[in-house]
Amino acid sequence: MKYHSIEEIIKNNQAWVSQKLAEDSTYFDKLATGQKPPYLYIGCSDSRLALTRFTGTEPGELFVHRNIANQVSLTDINFLAILEYAISYLEVKDIIVAGHYGCGGIKAALLGITIGLVDNWVNPIREIYLQNQDKIDALPTQEEKLNRLAELNVQMQVKNLYQTSIMRQALGQQKAPTVHGWVVDIQTGLIKDLQVSTKQWQLPSFSGLVL
Ligand code: CO
C-alpha cells in the first residue's frame, strides 16, 4: 500500500475544501455553527475503519469514541465522559457499538501475541473467550473462531453499556438511545447488524442514590 505524504495530505485537504465550497458556499459556515449528531459511534481504532467513508455520512453526523477492540470499559473516564456528553447534552438517538473481523485486538486476546499494555487492555476479551470456550473451540477454522469472538465481544460491550449509570439513568427517564451491535467485515467492506437483543440487559432503572 502506498501512503500519502504529509504534504499530500495537506494538499488533499485544500482540494476537498475547494470541492465542498463549490458544491455549497455555506458548507463550513453551517458546520461551524455547532454539532448535534444523532449517532454515537463506539468502534475500534483500526486505521481501516473510516466509518464516515464506509457509511457515506457527513461531518457532524457521528460522535465518536474509538479504542483498541472497541471496548466499553466502566473504568475508562474518557469513554464515560463521552457517553455522558452524548446522552445528556447531544441527546443522540442511536448508539452504535461496532467491532470488526480481522481485529488485531481480538487476535491478541485469543492467540496471546501482544506486547506491552495492549495485553492488559484486551484481557476482558480473554474472559469472553473463556466463558464461551466450548462453542468457539468447536468452530473449524481459526478465522471463524476469531470472527465469532469479535461478535461476542460486540455483544459484551453492548451489555457493558447497559451497566453504566449513565445508560441506566437515561432508561429510567425514558431518554435512552437505541443501541446497535455491528461487525464490519473488512474483506467485503460490508456492515453486519448483529441484531443484539438488549432487553435482557436492562437493569431496574436508576432512581437515585441507594447507598
Ligand atoms: Co480492531
Side-chain angles (χ1 to χ4, degrees):
M1 186 172 171
K2 185 193 166 290
Y3 299 106
H4 293 91
S5 69
I6 291 289
E7 292 75 18
E8 283 169 332
I9 289 172
I10 298 288
K11 271 194 187 136
N12 286 348
N13 166 251
Q14 289 159 353
W16 176 74
V17 168
S18 304
Q19 186 205 324
K20 282 288 176 193
L21 289 173
E23 287 165 13
D24 176 2
S25 61
T26 63
Y27 184 82
F28 293 100
D29 295 331
K30 283 186 269 184
L31 209 54
T33 58
Q35 64 163 344
K36 195 73 178 164
Y39 307 110
L40 168 62
Y41 163 59
I42 302 161
C44 181
S45 298
D46 192 301
S47 62
R48 296 165 295 181
L49 296 168
L51 204 75
T52 307
R53 290 227 181 159
F54 274 56
T55 56
T57 45
E58 285 289 321
E61 290 192 80
L62 302 177
F63 195 60
V64 173
H65 176 78
R66 292 171 70 172
N67 61 43
I68 292 172
N70 43 278
Q71 298 295 286
V72 170
S73 166
L74 273 69
T75 55
D76 178 355
I77 192 74
N78 176 10
F79 166 70
L80 293 172
I82 284 169
L83 181 67
E84 186 180 71
Y85 189 76
I87 293 182
S88 306
Y89 182 74
L90 298 173
E91 298 177 324
V92 296
K93 302 286 176 281
D94 296 84
I95 300 178
I96 299 156
V97 179
H100 67 107
Y101 296 146
C103 180
I106 299 284
K107 224 177 268 178
L110 190 65
L111 308 177
I113 45 171
T114 51
I115 44 158
L117 289 172
V118 174
D119 194 54
N120 298 56
W121 181 253
V122 300
N123 199 53
I125 304 170
R126 239 169 250 135
E127 275 304 317
I128 302 170
Y129 167 67
L130 290 173
Q131 282 166 20
N132 299 277
Q133 199 168 6
D134 293 349
K135 277 178 272 174
I136 294 173
D137 286 352
L139 293 166
T141 66
Q142 191 171 84
E143 191 185 358
E144 284 168 278
K145 287 175 194 172
L146 291 166
N147 287 354
R148 185 68 193 127
L149 191 53
E151 293 172 356
L152 290 169
N153 178 46
V154 169
Q155 261 181 42
M156 180 57 81
Q157 304 320 320
V158 171
K159 182 180 175 187
N160 288 348
L161 194 53
Y162 278 99
Q163 290 180 359
T164 62
S165 57
I166 302 157
M167 252 320 251
R168 290 169 60 202
Q169 201 164 12
L171 281 163
Q173 297 167 348
Q174 317 289 328
K175 285 181 183 167
T178 307
V179 180
H180 311 265
W182 289 357
V183 166
V184 183
D185 185 343
I186 294 183
Q187 284 193 338
T188 62
L190 292 169
I191 290 166
K192 181 170 156 189
D193 188 340
L194 295 175
Q195 309 284 345
V196 179
S197 163
T198 56
K199 268 235 148 57
Q200 80 261 31
W201 296 327
Q202 295 183 20
L203 294 161
S205 62
F206 186 87
S207 55
L209 287 173
V210 283
L211 291 174

